[in-house]
C-alpha cells in the first residue's frame, strides 16, 4: 500500500511539473509574434494559427504561441531555439525584423523547419529548413481600393464634393516596399473606378502606434482634406479618427463595427499554417518562398460594412474583379495604368536579392506589368507613381 501511495505521489508531482512547463507533449508547431492580440496584425496571425491547429486536429499541448517578442535583440532567437530544443518540428515568426534571428536558429537546428512572414532572404540563404511566406495581398488591397472608389463616386454624386476634390488619405507605417506596394495597389483599384482620385500618404514610422495613427489620420482629414482614409498600420487609431470625423474608412486585417467602415482586406494565414503543420507531420516539403493568392484562399476581402458607408452594387463589382484575378486577365501593376514622372515604365530593376546594398538587380517589368511577388514572396514594388504624394515623418 505504501509503495502504491509513493507511486501515486510521484505521478502527481510529474503531472504538476508537466503542467508547469506548459503541458508540451508531442510538440508540433510554434508561433512567435511581435505583439499580442491587441495588434490587428498579430491577431490575424494568432487567430489563423489557432484555426489551422484545430483544423488539423492538434491538441493544445502540441502547439504554442509566444507574443510580444521584439525585433531588436536576440529574444526571437532565444524563443526559436527553445522551441527547437523542446522538440517542436516547425517554428513561425511573424515580423520582418525577426528574420536574422530565425536564420541563426535555422543554421543551428537543422532538423527543425523555420518559417518567416515578410522575410526576403530564404531564396538567397539556400537553407533546406528556412522558408519565407507572404501573399499577393496587393490584389486584396486593389479590391479594397475598388470599393473605396465606388464610395467616392457615390459621395461625388451626392454633392458632398467635386470629382477634382476626390482625395484619399493613407496612414502608412514605414516607407518600405511592403507598404508602398500596398498603398499603390489600393490607389490603382480606386482609380480604376474613380479616375480623378489622388492620394496623400503620411507615415508614422511605427507598425503599432495608436496615438500616432490617430493623429496622422486626423491630419489627413483636417489639413489634407482627404475624403476617405485607409492605411497599413496595426492599431485602431485611424478607424477611431474616421468615426469621430464621420469619414469613410477602409481597414486592414480585421473588420470593425463602426458606421464609417467600408471594407477590409487581409492575408488569411490559415492555408499556409495548415501546409506547415502537414509538413511537420511528415507531409510534403515547404516551398522556399510561398506566395498565397486569392485562389488558395490566402487573400481575402471581408464582408462589406452595412452602415452609412455602404454603397449598393459594391459587392457585385468586386465579384467581377475577383473573377478577373482568378482568370489571370487583370494585373494590378499593369504599366498601362500608371506613370512615373509622366512616363510609362518599360524597364525596372528591383532589389529582390536583399544583400544590404539596396541596389536593384532583377528586371521585373515583363509582359507589360510589374511582376510583384514573383521572384520572392515578400513585396519589392517601391516606385512612386503619379497621383500619390508621400509625406515622410521626421
Amino acid at each position: 500500500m505504501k509503495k502504491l501511495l509513493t507511486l501515486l505521489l510521484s505521478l502527481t508531482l510529474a503531472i504538476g511539473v508537466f503542467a508547469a512547463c506548459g503541458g508540451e507533449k508531442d510538440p508540433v508547431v510554434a508561433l512567435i509574434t511581435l505583439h499580442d492580440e491587441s495588434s490587428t496584425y498579430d491577431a490575424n496571425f494568432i487567430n489563423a494559427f489557432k484555426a489551422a491547429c484545430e483544423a488539423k486536429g492538434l491538441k493544445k499541448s502540441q502547439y504554442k504561441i509566444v507574443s510580444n517578442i521584439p525585433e531588436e535583440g536576440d529574444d526571437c532567437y532565444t524563443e526559436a531555439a527553445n522551441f527547437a530544443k523542446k522538440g517542436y518540428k516547425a517554428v513561425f515568426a511573424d515580423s520582418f525584423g525577426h528574420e536574422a534571428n530565425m536564420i541563426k536558429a535555422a543554421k543551428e537546428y537543422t532538423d527543425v523547419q523555420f518559417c518567416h512572414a515578410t522575410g526576403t532572404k530564404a531564396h538567397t540563404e539556400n537553407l533546406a529548413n528556412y522558408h519565407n511566406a507572404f501573399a499577393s495581398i496587393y490584389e486584396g488591397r486593389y479590391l479594397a481600393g475598388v470599393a473605396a472608389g465606388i464610395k467616392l463616386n457615390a459621395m461625388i454624386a451626392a454633392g458632398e464634393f467635386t470629382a477634382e476634390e476626390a482625395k484619399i488619405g493613407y496612414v502608412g507605417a514605414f516607407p518600405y516596399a511592403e507598404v508602398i506596394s500596398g498603398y499603390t495597389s489600393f490607389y490603382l483599384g480606386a482609380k480604376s473606378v474613380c479616375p480623378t482620385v489622388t492620394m496623400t500618404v503620411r507615415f508614422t514610422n511605427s507598425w503599432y502606434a495608436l496615438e500616432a495613427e490617430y493623429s496622422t489620420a486626423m491630419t489627413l482629414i483636417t489639413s489634407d482634406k482627404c475624403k476617405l482614409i485607409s492605411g497599413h498600420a496595426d492599431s485602431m487609431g485611424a478607424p477611431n479618427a474616421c468615426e469621430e470625423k464621420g469619414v469613410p474608412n477602409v481597414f486592414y486585417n480585421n473588420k470593425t463595427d463602426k458606421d464609417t467602415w467600408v471594407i477590409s482586406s487581409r492575408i488569411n494565414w490559415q492555408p499556409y499554417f495548415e501546409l506547415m503543420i502537414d509538413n511537420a507531420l511528415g507531409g510534403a516539403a515547404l516551398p522556399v518562398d510561398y506566395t498565397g493568392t486569392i485562389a488558395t484562399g490566402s487573400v481575402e476581402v471581408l464582408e462589406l460594412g452595412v452602415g452609412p458607408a455602404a454603397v449598393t452594387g459594391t459587392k457585385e463589382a468586386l465579384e467581377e474583379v475577383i473573377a478577373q484575378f482568378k482568370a489571370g486577365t487583370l494585373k494590378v501593376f499593369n504599366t498601362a495604368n500608371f506613370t512615373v514622372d509622366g512616363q510609362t515604365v518599360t524597364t525596372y530593376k528591383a532589389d529582390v536579392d536583399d544583400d544590404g546594398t539596396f541596389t536593384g538587380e532583377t528586371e521585373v517589368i515583363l509582359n507589360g506589368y510589374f511582376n510583384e511577388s514573383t521572384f520572392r514572396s515578400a513585396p519589392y514594388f517601391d516606385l512612386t507613381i503619379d497621383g500619390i504624394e508621400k509625406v515622410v515623418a521626421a
Side-chain angles (χ1 to χ4, degrees):
M1 183 67 177
K2 186 176 180 180
K3 289 183 177 180
L4 179 59
L5 289 173
T6 301
L7 178 61
L8 289 173
L9 179 60
S10 297
L11 287 171
T12 301
L13 289 171
I15 291 170
V17 171
F18 176 72
C21 292
E24 292 161 299
K25 182 180 180 182
D26 191 23
V28 179
V29 291
L31 171 65
I32 297 170
T33 67
L34 178 61
H35 301 111
D36 55 29
E37 289 175 302
S38 62
S39 158
T40 56
Y41 175 82
D42 296 278
N44 191 44
F45 282 95
I46 291 167
N47 293 336
F49 184 75
K50 290 178 178 177
C53 291
E54 182 177 344
K56 289 298 179 179
L58 296 188
K59 299 175 183 178
K60 289 186 177 180
S61 62
Q62 294 180 293
Y63 62 91
K64 187 74 175 286
I65 301 170
V66 292
S67 297
N68 297 309
I69 306 303
E71 294 181 319
E72 300 80 13
D74 59 2
D75 288 4
C76 179
Y77 164 76
T78 299
E79 294 293 344
N82 283 340
F83 283 129
K85 292 173 185 176
K86 291 178 180 179
Y88 285 85
K89 298 175 178 64
V91 183
F92 186 101
D94 78 348
S95 194
F96 180 82
H98 289 148
E99 182 161 43
N101 282 316
M102 291 294 282
I103 292 172
K104 180 180 177 181
K107 289 179 178 178
E108 187 171 345
Y109 300 94
T110 57
D111 57 341
V112 177
Q113 300 299 310
F114 293 89
C115 308
H116 178 241
T118 78
T120 60
K121 295 184 177 181
H123 73 289
T124 51
E125 286 291 329
N126 294 316
L127 298 173
N129 65 326
Y130 181 68
H131 316 273
N132 287 147
F134 205 67
S136 57
I137 187 58
Y138 54 89
E139 293 178 329
R141 287 192 181 277
Y142 184 96
L143 287 163
V146 171
I150 291 171
K151 177 60 181 176
L152 289 173
N153 286 340
M155 297 168 78
I156 293 168
E160 296 183 34
F161 50 83
T162 67
E164 289 68 33
E165 294 171 322
K167 182 195 284 191
I168 293 169
Y170 200 96
V171 180
F174 291 95
Y176 297 163
E178 179 183 345
V179 179
I180 296 170
S181 175
Y183 70 61
T184 304
S185 53
F186 176 76
Y187 173 72
L188 290 172
K191 188 179 179 183
S192 72
V193 293
C194 182
T196 60
V197 69
T198 58
M199 185 163 75
T200 295
V201 183
R202 289 184 177 271
F203 299 94
T204 63
N205 290 327
S206 173
W207 286 116
Y208 182 76
L210 181 65
E211 292 184 6
E213 291 164 34
Y214 171 87
S215 63
T216 300
M218 279 295 188
T219 298
L220 288 165
I221 294 167
T222 59
S223 298
D224 298 325
K225 307 301 180 184
C226 295
K227 312 304 182 184
L228 181 147
I229 301 296
S230 188
H232 188 163
D234 298 343
S235 84
M236 287 291 292
N240 289 342
C242 288
E243 188 71 4
E244 186 174 324
K245 289 295 186 180
V247 172
N249 169 60
V250 175
F251 202 33
Y252 182 48
N253 276 327
N254 210 335
K255 62 181 181 179
T256 78
D257 57 359
K258 298 182 181 299
D259 287 341
T260 53
W261 176 50
V262 178
I263 197 171
S264 297
S265 62
R266 70 165 185 170
I267 296 176
N268 177 10
W269 284 97
Q270 184 173 344
Y272 184 77
F273 285 139
E274 290 190 13
L275 182 65
M276 190 174 78
I277 293 167
D278 286 340
N279 173 263
L281 296 176
L286 288 168
V288 173
D289 261 280
Y290 173 91
T291 304
T293 65
I294 289 175
T296 66
S298 302
V299 176
E300 297 180 336
V301 284
L302 304 182
E303 61 264 31
L304 290 159
V306 295
V311 179
T312 302
T314 303
K315 180 176 181 293
E316 292 75 14
L318 295 181
E319 288 174 348
E320 290 182 13
V321 178
I322 290 171
Q324 292 176 54
F325 278 139
K326 289 183 176 180
T329 57
L330 174 61
K331 302 296 182 183
V332 169
F333 298 113
N334 186 329
T335 56
N337 296 332
F338 66 88
T339 56
V340 175
D341 296 329
Q343 301 297 316
T344 299
V345 181
T346 58
T347 181
Y348 188 73
K349 288 190 176 181
D351 183 21
V352 175
D353 296 340
D354 186 2
D355 58 5
T357 63
F358 302 102
T359 302
E361 77 295 310
T362 304
E363 177 59 60
V364 293
I365 305 295
L366 303 170
N367 302 314
Y369 63 94
F370 188 111
N371 286 253
E372 177 70 303
S373 296
T374 300
F375 302 101
R376 75 176 191 216
S377 58
Y380 40 82
F381 185 100
D382 59 358
L383 295 168
T384 298
I385 72 171
D386 295 332
I388 298 177
E389 176 194 20
K390 292 197 302 184
V391 181
V392 181

